[in-house]
PDB file of all heavy atoms in Angstrom:
ATOM      1  N   LEU A   1       0.797  -1.200  -0.024  1.00  0.00           N
ATOM      2  CA  LEU A   1      -0.025   0.019  -0.006  1.00  0.00           C
ATOM      3  C   LEU A   1       0.897   1.209   0.035  1.00  0.00           C
ATOM      4  O   LEU A   1       1.802   1.325   0.870  1.00  0.00           O
ATOM      5  CB  LEU A   1      -0.958   0.016   1.245  1.00  0.00           C
ATOM      6  CG  LEU A   1      -1.750   1.215   1.494  1.00  0.00           C
ATOM      7  CD1 LEU A   1      -2.800   1.480   0.330  1.00  0.00           C
ATOM      8  CD2 LEU A   1      -2.443   1.133   2.853  1.00  0.00           C
ATOM      9  N   VAL A   2       0.601   2.119  -0.919  1.00  0.00           N
ATOM     10  CA  VAL A   2       1.430   3.407  -1.031  1.00  0.00           C
ATOM     11  C   VAL A   2       0.468   4.501  -1.286  1.00  0.00           C
ATOM     12  O   VAL A   2      -0.577   4.337  -1.995  1.00  0.00           O
ATOM     13  CB  VAL A   2       2.499   3.184  -2.081  1.00  0.00           C
ATOM     14  CG1 VAL A   2       1.883   3.062  -3.457  1.00  0.00           C
ATOM     15  CG2 VAL A   2       3.454   4.373  -2.096  1.00  0.00           C
ATOM     16  N   GLN A   3       0.844   5.764  -0.904  1.00  0.00           N
ATOM     17  CA  GLN A   3       0.072   6.907  -1.178  1.00  0.00           C
ATOM     18  C   GLN A   3       0.309   7.392  -2.561  1.00  0.00           C
ATOM     19  O   GLN A   3       1.416   7.151  -3.144  1.00  0.00           O
ATOM     20  CB  GLN A   3       0.399   8.002  -0.184  1.00  0.00           C
ATOM     21  CG  GLN A   3      -0.073   7.669   1.252  1.00  0.00           C
ATOM     22  CD  GLN A   3       0.178   8.905   2.258  1.00  0.00           C
ATOM     23  OE1 GLN A   3       0.917   9.844   1.881  1.00  0.00           O
ATOM     24  NE2 GLN A   3      -0.541   8.852   3.322  1.00  0.00           N
ATOM     25  N   PRO A   4      -0.643   8.115  -3.141  1.00  0.00           N
ATOM     26  CA  PRO A   4      -0.427   8.722  -4.418  1.00  0.00           C
ATOM     27  C   PRO A   4       0.872   9.535  -4.552  1.00  0.00           C
ATOM     28  O   PRO A   4       1.116  10.251  -3.509  1.00  0.00           O
ATOM     29  CB  PRO A   4      -1.704   9.534  -4.657  1.00  0.00           C
ATOM     30  CG  PRO A   4      -2.650   8.868  -3.909  1.00  0.00           C
ATOM     31  CD  PRO A   4      -2.027   8.341  -2.692  1.00  0.00           C
ATOM     32  N   GLY A   5       1.628   9.397  -5.536  1.00  0.00           N
ATOM     33  CA  GLY A   5       2.902  10.043  -5.666  1.00  0.00           C
ATOM     34  C   GLY A   5       4.061   9.250  -5.106  1.00  0.00           C
ATOM     35  O   GLY A   5       5.243   9.678  -5.249  1.00  0.00           O
ATOM     36  N   GLY A   6       3.815   8.140  -4.380  1.00  0.00           N
ATOM     37  CA  GLY A   6       4.843   7.399  -3.778  1.00  0.00           C
ATOM     38  C   GLY A   6       5.546   6.416  -4.830  1.00  0.00           C
ATOM     39  O   GLY A   6       5.189   6.477  -5.977  1.00  0.00           O
ATOM     40  N   SER A   7       6.385   5.638  -4.310  1.00  0.00           N
ATOM     41  CA  SER A   7       7.157   4.709  -5.057  1.00  0.00           C
ATOM     42  C   SER A   7       7.188   3.291  -4.483  1.00  0.00           C
ATOM     43  O   SER A   7       7.049   3.100  -3.271  1.00  0.00           O
ATOM     44  CB  SER A   7       8.595   5.186  -5.185  1.00  0.00           C
ATOM     45  OG  SER A   7       8.715   6.431  -5.850  1.00  0.00           O
ATOM     46  N   LEU A   8       7.307   2.346  -5.340  1.00  0.00           N
ATOM     47  CA  LEU A   8       7.472   0.937  -4.971  1.00  0.00           C
ATOM     48  C   LEU A   8       8.479   0.302  -5.962  1.00  0.00           C
ATOM     49  O   LEU A   8       8.554   0.722  -7.162  1.00  0.00           O
ATOM     50  CB  LEU A   8       6.178   0.180  -4.952  1.00  0.00           C
ATOM     51  CG  LEU A   8       5.153   0.325  -3.800  1.00  0.00           C
ATOM     52  CD1 LEU A   8       3.926  -0.427  -4.168  1.00  0.00           C
ATOM     53  CD2 LEU A   8       5.774  -0.095  -2.513  1.00  0.00           C
ATOM     54  N   ARG A   9       9.219  -0.704  -5.521  1.00  0.00           N
ATOM     55  CA  ARG A   9       9.928  -1.497  -6.468  1.00  0.00           C
ATOM     56  C   ARG A   9       9.559  -2.971  -6.348  1.00  0.00           C
ATOM     57  O   ARG A   9       9.724  -3.556  -5.274  1.00  0.00           O
ATOM     58  CB  ARG A   9      11.488  -1.371  -6.181  1.00  0.00           C
ATOM     59  CG  ARG A   9      12.314  -2.064  -7.253  1.00  0.00           C
ATOM     60  CD  ARG A   9      13.838  -1.828  -7.103  1.00  0.00           C
ATOM     61  NE  ARG A   9      14.394  -2.792  -6.227  1.00  0.00           N
ATOM     62  CZ  ARG A   9      15.667  -3.193  -6.256  1.00  0.00           C
ATOM     63  NH1 ARG A   9      16.468  -2.655  -7.219  1.00  0.00           N
ATOM     64  NH2 ARG A   9      16.184  -4.003  -5.334  1.00  0.00           N
ATOM     65  N   LEU A  10       9.122  -3.487  -7.433  1.00  0.00           N
ATOM     66  CA  LEU A  10       8.712  -4.859  -7.500  1.00  0.00           C
ATOM     67  C   LEU A  10       9.945  -5.669  -7.991  1.00  0.00           C
ATOM     68  O   LEU A  10      10.728  -5.275  -8.845  1.00  0.00           O
ATOM     69  CB  LEU A  10       7.585  -5.087  -8.442  1.00  0.00           C
ATOM     70  CG  LEU A  10       6.300  -4.292  -8.222  1.00  0.00           C
ATOM     71  CD1 LEU A  10       5.209  -4.667  -9.207  1.00  0.00           C
ATOM     72  CD2 LEU A  10       5.821  -4.473  -6.819  1.00  0.00           C
ATOM     73  N   SER A  11      10.017  -6.915  -7.425  1.00  0.00           N
ATOM     74  CA  SER A  11      11.103  -7.835  -7.871  1.00  0.00           C
ATOM     75  C   SER A  11      10.411  -9.090  -8.289  1.00  0.00           C
ATOM     76  O   SER A  11       9.429  -9.533  -7.752  1.00  0.00           O
ATOM     77  CB  SER A  11      12.044  -8.143  -6.696  1.00  0.00           C
ATOM     78  OG  SER A  11      12.725  -6.948  -6.320  1.00  0.00           O
ATOM     79  N   CYS A  12      11.032  -9.809  -9.241  1.00  0.00           N
ATOM     80  CA  CYS A  12      10.605 -11.080  -9.721  1.00  0.00           C
ATOM     81  C   CYS A  12      11.869 -12.017  -9.787  1.00  0.00           C
ATOM     82  O   CYS A  12      12.672 -11.770 -10.632  1.00  0.00           O
ATOM     83  CB  CYS A  12       9.942 -10.976 -11.097  1.00  0.00           C
ATOM     84  SG  CYS A  12       9.520 -12.594 -11.812  1.00  0.00           S
ATOM     85  N   ALA A  13      11.934 -12.942  -8.867  1.00  0.00           N
ATOM     86  CA  ALA A  13      13.056 -13.868  -8.829  1.00  0.00           C
ATOM     87  C   ALA A  13      12.716 -15.171  -9.619  1.00  0.00           C
ATOM     88  O   ALA A  13      11.630 -15.684  -9.388  1.00  0.00           O
ATOM     89  CB  ALA A  13      13.422 -14.181  -7.398  1.00  0.00           C
ATOM     90  N   ALA A  14      13.567 -15.544 -10.478  1.00  0.00           N
ATOM     91  CA  ALA A  14      13.391 -16.816 -11.295  1.00  0.00           C
ATOM     92  C   ALA A  14      14.281 -17.812 -10.880  1.00  0.00           C
ATOM     93  O   ALA A  14      15.466 -17.628 -10.585  1.00  0.00           O
ATOM     94  CB  ALA A  14      13.552 -16.401 -12.703  1.00  0.00           C
ATOM     95  N   SER A  15      13.784 -19.118 -10.869  1.00  0.00           N
ATOM     96  CA  SER A  15      14.563 -20.288 -10.661  1.00  0.00           C
ATOM     97  C   SER A  15      15.138 -20.754 -11.967  1.00  0.00           C
ATOM     98  O   SER A  15      14.731 -20.248 -13.044  1.00  0.00           O
ATOM     99  CB  SER A  15      13.800 -21.390 -10.040  1.00  0.00           C
ATOM    100  OG  SER A  15      12.815 -21.807 -10.903  1.00  0.00           O
ATOM    101  N   GLY A  16      16.113 -21.581 -12.036  1.00  0.00           N
ATOM    102  CA  GLY A  16      16.607 -22.160 -13.234  1.00  0.00           C
ATOM    103  C   GLY A  16      17.829 -21.473 -13.717  1.00  0.00           C
ATOM    104  O   GLY A  16      18.164 -20.379 -13.331  1.00  0.00           O
ATOM    105  N   SER A  17      18.483 -22.063 -14.725  1.00  0.00           N
ATOM    106  CA  SER A  17      19.806 -21.562 -15.241  1.00  0.00           C
ATOM    107  C   SER A  17      19.662 -20.850 -16.597  1.00  0.00           C
ATOM    108  O   SER A  17      20.677 -20.413 -17.118  1.00  0.00           O
ATOM    109  CB  SER A  17      20.804 -22.695 -15.371  1.00  0.00           C
ATOM    110  OG  SER A  17      20.218 -23.708 -16.311  1.00  0.00           O
ATOM    111  N   ARG A  18      18.478 -20.765 -17.141  1.00  0.00           N
ATOM    112  CA  ARG A  18      18.310 -20.181 -18.495  1.00  0.00           C
ATOM    113  C   ARG A  18      17.594 -18.853 -18.476  1.00  0.00           C
ATOM    114  O   ARG A  18      17.068 -18.347 -19.440  1.00  0.00           O
ATOM    115  CB  ARG A  18      17.450 -21.136 -19.374  1.00  0.00           C
ATOM    116  CG  ARG A  18      18.127 -22.523 -19.431  1.00  0.00           C
ATOM    117  CD  ARG A  18      17.308 -23.393 -20.323  1.00  0.00           C
ATOM    118  NE  ARG A  18      17.339 -23.006 -21.765  1.00  0.00           N
ATOM    119  CZ  ARG A  18      16.318 -23.149 -22.525  1.00  0.00           C
ATOM    120  NH1 ARG A  18      15.157 -23.646 -22.149  1.00  0.00           N
ATOM    121  NH2 ARG A  18      16.452 -22.771 -23.840  1.00  0.00           N
ATOM    122  N   PHE A  19      17.696 -18.156 -17.389  1.00  0.00           N
ATOM    123  CA  PHE A  19      16.930 -16.893 -17.167  1.00  0.00           C
ATOM    124  C   PHE A  19      17.326 -15.851 -18.241  1.00  0.00           C
ATOM    125  O   PHE A  19      16.440 -15.130 -18.811  1.00  0.00           O
ATOM    126  CB  PHE A  19      17.256 -16.272 -15.772  1.00  0.00           C
ATOM    127  CG  PHE A  19      16.704 -14.899 -15.567  1.00  0.00           C
ATOM    128  CD1 PHE A  19      15.357 -14.775 -15.249  1.00  0.00           C
ATOM    129  CD2 PHE A  19      17.460 -13.753 -15.648  1.00  0.00           C
ATOM    130  CE1 PHE A  19      14.840 -13.489 -15.035  1.00  0.00           C
ATOM    131  CE2 PHE A  19      17.029 -12.502 -15.459  1.00  0.00           C
ATOM    132  CZ  PHE A  19      15.655 -12.385 -15.136  1.00  0.00           C
ATOM    133  N   SER A  20      18.579 -15.844 -18.657  1.00  0.00           N
ATOM    134  CA  SER A  20      19.049 -14.758 -19.574  1.00  0.00           C
ATOM    135  C   SER A  20      18.468 -14.846 -20.895  1.00  0.00           C
ATOM    136  O   SER A  20      18.469 -13.843 -21.666  1.00  0.00           O
ATOM    137  CB  SER A  20      20.577 -14.813 -19.661  1.00  0.00           C
ATOM    138  OG  SER A  20      21.040 -15.977 -20.212  1.00  0.00           O
ATOM    139  N   ILE A  21      17.952 -16.008 -21.287  1.00  0.00           N
ATOM    140  CA  ILE A  21      17.398 -16.144 -22.723  1.00  0.00           C
ATOM    141  C   ILE A  21      15.924 -15.757 -22.731  1.00  0.00           C
ATOM    142  O   ILE A  21      15.380 -15.647 -23.907  1.00  0.00           O
ATOM    143  CB  ILE A  21      17.597 -17.578 -23.242  1.00  0.00           C
ATOM    144  CG1 ILE A  21      16.554 -18.589 -22.544  1.00  0.00           C
ATOM    145  CG2 ILE A  21      18.994 -18.066 -23.054  1.00  0.00           C
ATOM    146  CD1 ILE A  21      16.431 -19.878 -23.280  1.00  0.00           C
ATOM    147  N   TYR A  22      15.352 -15.570 -21.615  1.00  0.00           N
ATOM    148  CA  TYR A  22      13.904 -15.254 -21.608  1.00  0.00           C
ATOM    149  C   TYR A  22      13.583 -13.746 -21.734  1.00  0.00           C
ATOM    150  O   TYR A  22      14.366 -12.924 -21.145  1.00  0.00           O
ATOM    151  CB  TYR A  22      13.269 -15.693 -20.262  1.00  0.00           C
ATOM    152  CG  TYR A  22      13.148 -17.255 -20.224  1.00  0.00           C
ATOM    153  CD1 TYR A  22      13.931 -17.972 -19.248  1.00  0.00           C
ATOM    154  CD2 TYR A  22      12.324 -17.983 -21.030  1.00  0.00           C
ATOM    155  CE1 TYR A  22      13.869 -19.326 -19.152  1.00  0.00           C
ATOM    156  CE2 TYR A  22      12.305 -19.399 -20.964  1.00  0.00           C
ATOM    157  CZ  TYR A  22      13.071 -20.045 -20.013  1.00  0.00           C
ATOM    158  OH  TYR A  22      13.005 -21.406 -19.960  1.00  0.00           O
ATOM    159  N   ALA A  23      12.588 -13.478 -22.469  1.00  0.00           N
ATOM    160  CA  ALA A  23      11.981 -12.121 -22.402  1.00  0.00           C
ATOM    161  C   ALA A  23      11.226 -12.070 -21.115  1.00  0.00           C
ATOM    162  O   ALA A  23      10.443 -13.005 -20.876  1.00  0.00           O
ATOM    163  CB  ALA A  23      11.133 -11.839 -23.639  1.00  0.00           C
ATOM    164  N   MET A  24      11.283 -10.996 -20.380  1.00  0.00           N
ATOM    165  CA  MET A  24      10.583 -10.806 -19.131  1.00  0.00           C
ATOM    166  C   MET A  24       9.560  -9.678 -19.181  1.00  0.00           C
ATOM    167  O   MET A  24       9.842  -8.622 -19.762  1.00  0.00           O
ATOM    168  CB  MET A  24      11.608 -10.558 -17.986  1.00  0.00           C
ATOM    169  CG  MET A  24      12.608 -11.680 -17.823  1.00  0.00           C
ATOM    170  SD  MET A  24      11.936 -13.210 -17.405  1.00  0.00           S
ATOM    171  CE  MET A  24      11.138 -12.903 -15.842  1.00  0.00           C
ATOM    172  N   GLY A  25       8.456  -9.849 -18.619  1.00  0.00           N
ATOM    173  CA  GLY A  25       7.445  -8.866 -18.626  1.00  0.00           C
ATOM    174  C   GLY A  25       6.700  -8.690 -17.317  1.00  0.00           C
ATOM    175  O   GLY A  25       6.620  -9.645 -16.554  1.00  0.00           O
ATOM    176  N   TRP A  26       6.358  -7.502 -17.042  1.00  0.00           N
ATOM    177  CA  TRP A  26       5.439  -7.164 -15.985  1.00  0.00           C
ATOM    178  C   TRP A  26       4.022  -6.870 -16.498  1.00  0.00           C
ATOM    179  O   TRP A  26       3.922  -5.940 -17.435  1.00  0.00           O
ATOM    180  CB  TRP A  26       5.932  -6.027 -15.129  1.00  0.00           C
ATOM    181  CG  TRP A  26       7.046  -6.337 -14.264  1.00  0.00           C
ATOM    182  CD1 TRP A  26       8.439  -6.084 -14.463  1.00  0.00           C
ATOM    183  CD2 TRP A  26       7.030  -6.928 -12.977  1.00  0.00           C
ATOM    184  NE1 TRP A  26       9.119  -6.521 -13.400  1.00  0.00           N
ATOM    185  CE2 TRP A  26       8.344  -7.117 -12.463  1.00  0.00           C
ATOM    186  CE3 TRP A  26       5.942  -7.461 -12.177  1.00  0.00           C
ATOM    187  CZ2 TRP A  26       8.605  -7.681 -11.274  1.00  0.00           C
ATOM    188  CZ3 TRP A  26       6.240  -8.027 -10.943  1.00  0.00           C
ATOM    189  CH2 TRP A  26       7.553  -8.081 -10.471  1.00  0.00           C
ATOM    190  N   TYR A  27       3.013  -7.507 -15.956  1.00  0.00           N
ATOM    191  CA  TYR A  27       1.680  -7.277 -16.427  1.00  0.00           C
ATOM    192  C   TYR A  27       0.865  -6.934 -15.107  1.00  0.00           C
ATOM    193  O   TYR A  27       1.308  -7.145 -14.038  1.00  0.00           O
ATOM    194  CB  TYR A  27       0.989  -8.548 -16.964  1.00  0.00           C
ATOM    195  CG  TYR A  27       1.567  -8.959 -18.311  1.00  0.00           C
ATOM    196  CD1 TYR A  27       2.862  -9.512 -18.435  1.00  0.00           C
ATOM    197  CD2 TYR A  27       0.835  -8.896 -19.454  1.00  0.00           C
ATOM    198  CE1 TYR A  27       3.387  -9.893 -19.630  1.00  0.00           C
ATOM    199  CE2 TYR A  27       1.321  -9.266 -20.698  1.00  0.00           C
ATOM    200  CZ  TYR A  27       2.575  -9.800 -20.803  1.00  0.00           C
ATOM    201  OH  TYR A  27       3.047 -10.179 -22.060  1.00  0.00           O
ATOM    202  N   ARG A  28      -0.338  -6.362 -15.315  1.00  0.00           N
ATOM    203  CA  ARG A  28      -1.147  -6.012 -14.178  1.00  0.00           C
ATOM    204  C   ARG A  28      -2.644  -6.310 -14.555  1.00  0.00           C
ATOM    205  O   ARG A  28      -3.013  -6.197 -15.743  1.00  0.00           O
ATOM    206  CB  ARG A  28      -0.995  -4.552 -13.710  1.00  0.00           C
ATOM    207  CG  ARG A  28      -1.378  -3.491 -14.696  1.00  0.00           C
ATOM    208  CD  ARG A  28      -0.980  -2.139 -14.188  1.00  0.00           C
ATOM    209  NE  ARG A  28      -1.357  -1.061 -15.137  1.00  0.00           N
ATOM    210  CZ  ARG A  28      -0.991   0.198 -14.981  1.00  0.00           C
ATOM    211  NH1 ARG A  28      -0.254   0.590 -13.932  1.00  0.00           N
ATOM    212  NH2 ARG A  28      -1.393   1.067 -15.919  1.00  0.00           N
ATOM    213  N   GLN A  29      -3.356  -6.558 -13.524  1.00  0.00           N
ATOM    214  CA  GLN A  29      -4.778  -6.838 -13.691  1.00  0.00           C
ATOM    215  C   GLN A  29      -5.598  -6.173 -12.604  1.00  0.00           C
ATOM    216  O   GLN A  29      -5.399  -6.497 -11.388  1.00  0.00           O
ATOM    217  CB  GLN A  29      -5.109  -8.310 -13.762  1.00  0.00           C
ATOM    218  CG  GLN A  29      -6.571  -8.604 -14.099  1.00  0.00           C
ATOM    219  CD  GLN A  29      -6.794 -10.011 -14.529  1.00  0.00           C
ATOM    220  OE1 GLN A  29      -5.955 -10.921 -14.190  1.00  0.00           O
ATOM    221  NE2 GLN A  29      -7.862 -10.337 -15.210  1.00  0.00           N
ATOM    222  N   ALA A  30      -6.356  -5.131 -12.911  1.00  0.00           N
ATOM    223  CA  ALA A  30      -7.232  -4.464 -11.938  1.00  0.00           C
ATOM    224  C   ALA A  30      -8.546  -5.132 -11.900  1.00  0.00           C
ATOM    225  O   ALA A  30      -8.900  -5.904 -12.810  1.00  0.00           O
ATOM    226  CB  ALA A  30      -7.426  -3.014 -12.379  1.00  0.00           C
ATOM    227  N   PRO A  31      -9.319  -4.997 -10.851  1.00  0.00           N
ATOM    228  CA  PRO A  31     -10.611  -5.729 -10.721  1.00  0.00           C
ATOM    229  C   PRO A  31     -11.466  -5.417 -11.884  1.00  0.00           C
ATOM    230  O   PRO A  31     -11.545  -4.271 -12.355  1.00  0.00           O
ATOM    231  CB  PRO A  31     -11.173  -5.126  -9.413  1.00  0.00           C
ATOM    232  CG  PRO A  31      -9.976  -4.715  -8.592  1.00  0.00           C
ATOM    233  CD  PRO A  31      -8.986  -4.263  -9.627  1.00  0.00           C
ATOM    234  N   GLU A  32     -12.064  -6.437 -12.456  1.00  0.00           N
ATOM    235  CA  GLU A  32     -12.959  -6.390 -13.597  1.00  0.00           C
ATOM    236  C   GLU A  32     -12.384  -5.828 -14.851  1.00  0.00           C
ATOM    237  O   GLU A  32     -13.076  -5.412 -15.714  1.00  0.00           O
ATOM    238  CB  GLU A  32     -14.246  -5.587 -13.187  1.00  0.00           C
ATOM    239  CG  GLU A  32     -14.982  -6.202 -11.941  1.00  0.00           C
ATOM    240  CD  GLU A  32     -16.272  -5.362 -11.637  1.00  0.00           C
ATOM    241  OE1 GLU A  32     -16.533  -4.414 -12.285  1.00  0.00           O
ATOM    242  OE2 GLU A  32     -16.917  -5.819 -10.664  1.00  0.00           O
ATOM    243  N   LYS A  33     -11.055  -5.914 -14.927  1.00  0.00           N
ATOM    244  CA  LYS A  33     -10.334  -5.437 -16.089  1.00  0.00           C
ATOM    245  C   LYS A  33      -9.441  -6.652 -16.587  1.00  0.00           C
ATOM    246  O   LYS A  33      -9.117  -7.515 -15.858  1.00  0.00           O
ATOM    247  CB  LYS A  33      -9.542  -4.230 -15.864  1.00  0.00           C
ATOM    248  CG  LYS A  33     -10.311  -2.948 -15.625  1.00  0.00           C
ATOM    249  CD  LYS A  33      -9.524  -1.712 -15.606  1.00  0.00           C
ATOM    250  CE  LYS A  33     -10.302  -0.469 -15.452  1.00  0.00           C
ATOM    251  NZ  LYS A  33      -9.443   0.797 -15.388  1.00  0.00           N
ATOM    252  N   GLN A  34      -9.165  -6.509 -17.953  1.00  0.00           N
ATOM    253  CA  GLN A  34      -8.231  -7.558 -18.525  1.00  0.00           C
ATOM    254  C   GLN A  34      -6.813  -7.259 -18.087  1.00  0.00           C
ATOM    255  O   GLN A  34      -6.401  -6.174 -17.812  1.00  0.00           O
ATOM    256  CB  GLN A  34      -8.388  -7.507 -20.073  1.00  0.00           C
ATOM    257  CG  GLN A  34      -9.709  -8.052 -20.550  1.00  0.00           C
ATOM    258  CD  GLN A  34      -9.667  -8.165 -22.078  1.00  0.00           C
ATOM    259  OE1 GLN A  34      -8.958  -7.491 -22.741  1.00  0.00           O
ATOM    260  NE2 GLN A  34     -10.506  -9.067 -22.584  1.00  0.00           N
ATOM    261  N   ARG A  35      -6.047  -8.387 -17.991  1.00  0.00           N
ATOM    262  CA  ARG A  35      -4.616  -8.265 -17.730  1.00  0.00           C
ATOM    263  C   ARG A  35      -3.959  -7.470 -18.863  1.00  0.00           C
ATOM    264  O   ARG A  35      -4.221  -7.752 -20.067  1.00  0.00           O
ATOM    265  CB  ARG A  35      -4.026  -9.607 -17.593  1.00  0.00           C
ATOM    266  CG  ARG A  35      -2.629  -9.665 -17.030  1.00  0.00           C
ATOM    267  CD  ARG A  35      -2.090 -11.036 -16.730  1.00  0.00           C
ATOM    268  NE  ARG A  35      -2.943 -11.665 -15.691  1.00  0.00           N
ATOM    269  CZ  ARG A  35      -2.575 -12.822 -15.158  1.00  0.00           C
ATOM    270  NH1 ARG A  35      -1.502 -13.489 -15.500  1.00  0.00           N
ATOM    271  NH2 ARG A  35      -3.402 -13.386 -14.198  1.00  0.00           N
TER     272      ARG A  35
END
């Protein structure tokens, strides 16, 4: 939870040894909306 104007840093840790070959993306889904 953050106030408007604030900041957050999301992290996504991956297992496995082939991480570097993958394209990585951040998606979001709000209530009653498409991802």
Side-chain angles (χ1 to χ4, degrees):
L1 173 64
V2 64
Q3 292 186 343
S7 297
L8 285 174
R9 188 175 82 153
L10 305 184
S11 299
C12 173
S15 64
S17 59
R18 303 180 67 213
F19 174 79
S20 64
I21 74 167
Y22 291 113
M24 301 297 299
W26 285 100
Y27 291 72
R28 66 186 178 188
Q29 187 166 18
E32 301 182 0
K33 291 189 177 181
Q34 289 188 334
R35 190 173 298 189

